[in-house]
Amino acid sequence: MDSATKTKRPNSLQHFKGVVATPSDVKTYNIERWAANVVKKAAYVVYPVDTEDISTAILFALAEVLPIAIAGGRHDVGGASSTEGVVIDMRNMNAVRVDKEKNIGYLEGGTTIYQANQELFKHGLTTTLGMGSSVGLVGLCIGGGLGLKMGQHGLACDNVVSATMVLANGEIVFVDETENPELLWGIKGGPVASKTVQIPYNTYSALADDYTAIPGNKIGVGAHFNQFDYETVKKSCDMLLAVTPKAPASVVLWEFYYYDLVTNVPPEATAFPQRTKDKTALVALYGFKDAWMTEAKTALAEIKKVLSSSSAGSARDSIGYLNYAAILAAENETDMNARRAFGSNYSRLQELKRKYDPDMVFNKWFCIVPAKE
């Protein structure tokens, strides 16, 4: 990215060291997203180079009464990384440092799975990470973090040992098991009041793929199942085939990960509550035109229902894996979906929200309503 910008910076951004861009800055203004349907024209896109820049950007947005969105990997179908206000685009904060003696990787908040792969594989380290190379690691962990190494390492969020965070008031804090431990709990699978900018992991693994590079509109949603039978599979596939003339690059995936280490962690130990052995499924509709969006969401909901139709209990009633629930997380006029997503952990998230973000500055992914005083 060109480090120069023609934008005349507002006074409160004079000490911002990274690039500040507005729609008139052709070379530096970038609002592209993995899914075309979530793009919004931001008033400002700022590209921080360190935590102080992030703090400055947040304080600027608050002073100008502009909404904030954080863009990490920009691998988004719900719109959490887009806004018409200030986008804090983390792409330039993607450094990876490995402490081989401790087997810990220090990853900045804009790091993607692909970028982490390049460095961590040099040291022979692996851990649980997602399947798409463009996925941002912070977003992956906030939603739990399924992946191929779950049987060996558990969820991605369970491997987070500390973080540097910028809070909703611009304050920079460090969190681990002894310092601000409630925030460490909150970022392990939940939307709290802050943005993680550096995360150490015990180990690492990821798989890049080509399928997610398909251009155009994309939506998807997850489901859980504990019964896998021919009739359910056939019906869901038939329904998928019926929509492929409109959404030609669509897919249903059934994921058979090992959940023993996931279920060994009590649901209340992290914000991520989905600690059963229910398997995950994903239905994704890709490549459709704007005019078909309403019908696409209806089809998605119908296929999701079928995927869990022969299952029982927690699987049948589930909102689906949290990182697959982006379009439901974006329906945040009320906290109904957040209550479904976080279950018994929701009240604790509300307390964190009251303490660290009572004005709901961060409100783009699952609406956590602050607890009342």
Side-chain angles (χ1 to χ4, degrees):
M1 178 178 296
D2 189 344
S3 60
T5 176
K6 295 179 181 179
T7 294
K8 183 178 180 180
R9 298 189 179 197
N11 289 335
S12 53
L13 285 178
Q14 290 301 313
H15 298 293
F16 187 88
K17 297 180 286 295
V19 173
V20 177
T22 64
S24 63
D25 299 309
V26 178
K27 291 184 178 180
T28 55
Y29 182 80
N30 190 330
I31 55 173
E32 291 182 0
R33 295 294 179 265
W34 179 72
N37 45 289
V38 300
V39 171
K40 291 184 178 180
K41 188 174 182 178
Y44 294 89
V45 180
V46 298
Y47 303 89
V49 297
D50 56 24
T51 53
E52 288 77 15
D53 269 0
I54 298 171
S55 176
T56 298
I58 289 172
L59 293 175
F60 164 71
L62 293 176
E64 297 296 322
V65 197
L66 292 170
I68 297 171
I70 311 295
R74 303 168 300 282
H75 189 101
D76 177 20
V77 300
S81 64
S82 299
T83 181
E84 294 176 350
V86 178
V87 172
I88 302 176
D89 191 310
M90 300 289 292
R91 72 181 69 200
N92 292 336
M93 292 184 64
N94 56 24
V96 181
R97 177 174 64 86
V98 174
D99 184 332
K100 185 60 186 295
E101 290 186 3
K102 295 181 179 180
N103 279 352
I104 291 180
Y106 297 85
L107 314 174
E108 286 190 317
T111 305
T112 64
I113 287 174
Y114 175 81
Q115 292 162 339
N117 262 331
Q118 303 309 299
E119 185 63 25
L120 295 175
F121 278 172
K122 295 177 185 177
H123 300 272
L125 298 179
T126 63
T127 197
T128 306
L129 289 177
M131 298 284 288
S133 62
S134 66
V135 172
L137 299 187
V138 170
L140 177 78
C141 292
I142 288 175
L146 304 181
L148 297 177
K149 288 287 185 175
M150 281 170 53
Q152 187 175 2
H153 300 299
L155 295 168
C157 71
D158 294 336
N159 289 279
V160 178
V161 296
S162 66
T164 302
M165 305 178 68
V166 183
L167 305 181
N169 64 359
E171 181 184 0
I172 300 169
V173 299
F174 178 79
V175 307
D176 62 11
E177 291 184 355
T178 58
E179 190 171 348
N180 299 306
E182 73 278 11
L183 284 174
L184 181 65
W185 178 89
I187 63 174
K188 289 189 172 190
V192 197
S194 46
K195 175 65 184 177
T196 307
V197 296
Q198 188 181 64
I199 300 180
Y201 291 93
N202 286 337
T203 49
Y204 173 77
S205 131
L207 176 67
D209 57 43
D210 294 325
Y211 182 71
T212 59
I214 295 169
N217 291 331
K218 302 181 180 79
I219 59 173
V221 73
H224 281 105
F225 64 96
N226 49 39
Q227 179 68 33
F228 187 68
D229 60 273
Y230 173 79
E231 290 301 326
T232 300
V233 171
K234 183 179 185 304
K235 186 174 182 179
S236 58
C237 288
D238 287 345
M239 294 174 71
L240 186 76
L241 288 173
V243 303
T244 53
K246 296 288 188 179
S250 299
V251 65
V252 173
L253 299 176
W254 289 267
E255 299 174 331
F256 294 90
Y257 295 122
Y258 292 97
Y259 279 82
D260 287 352
L261 291 183
V262 177
T263 59
N264 286 346
V265 178
E268 67 276 8
T270 67
F272 185 80
Q274 297 173 341
R275 300 286 180 174
T276 72
K277 290 190 176 182
D278 295 336
K279 301 295 190 291
T280 58
L282 167 68
V283 54
L285 307 184
Y286 291 175
F288 58 90
K289 296 181 179 179
D290 293 347
W292 198 65
M293 179 61 74
T294 300
E295 290 86 347
K297 289 183 176 180
T298 299
L300 202 68
E302 291 174 348
I303 299 173
K304 169 183 167 59
K305 186 176 181 179
V306 169
L307 288 171
S308 301
S309 61
S310 62
S311 296
S314 59
R316 188 161 190 164
D317 299 332
S318 173
I319 197 171
Y321 168 48
L322 300 190
N323 272 333
Y324 293 164
I327 62 169
L328 299 176
E331 296 174 355
N332 57 9
E333 290 80 7
T334 73
D335 64 350
M336 178 182 68
N337 285 336
R339 289 180 180 276
R340 286 185 63 199
F342 297 103
S344 59
N345 287 340
Y346 182 70
S347 59
R348 186 171 174 184
L349 285 168
Q350 286 185 291
E351 292 295 334
L352 285 176
K353 199 71 170 174
R354 179 187 62 79
K355 181 176 181 180
Y356 292 102
D357 188 16
D359 296 324
M360 299 182 69
V361 172
F362 299 116
N363 58 15
K364 300 289 290 181
W365 189 74
F366 283 118
C367 175
I368 305 295
V369 175
K372 296 180 180 179
E373 295 287 349

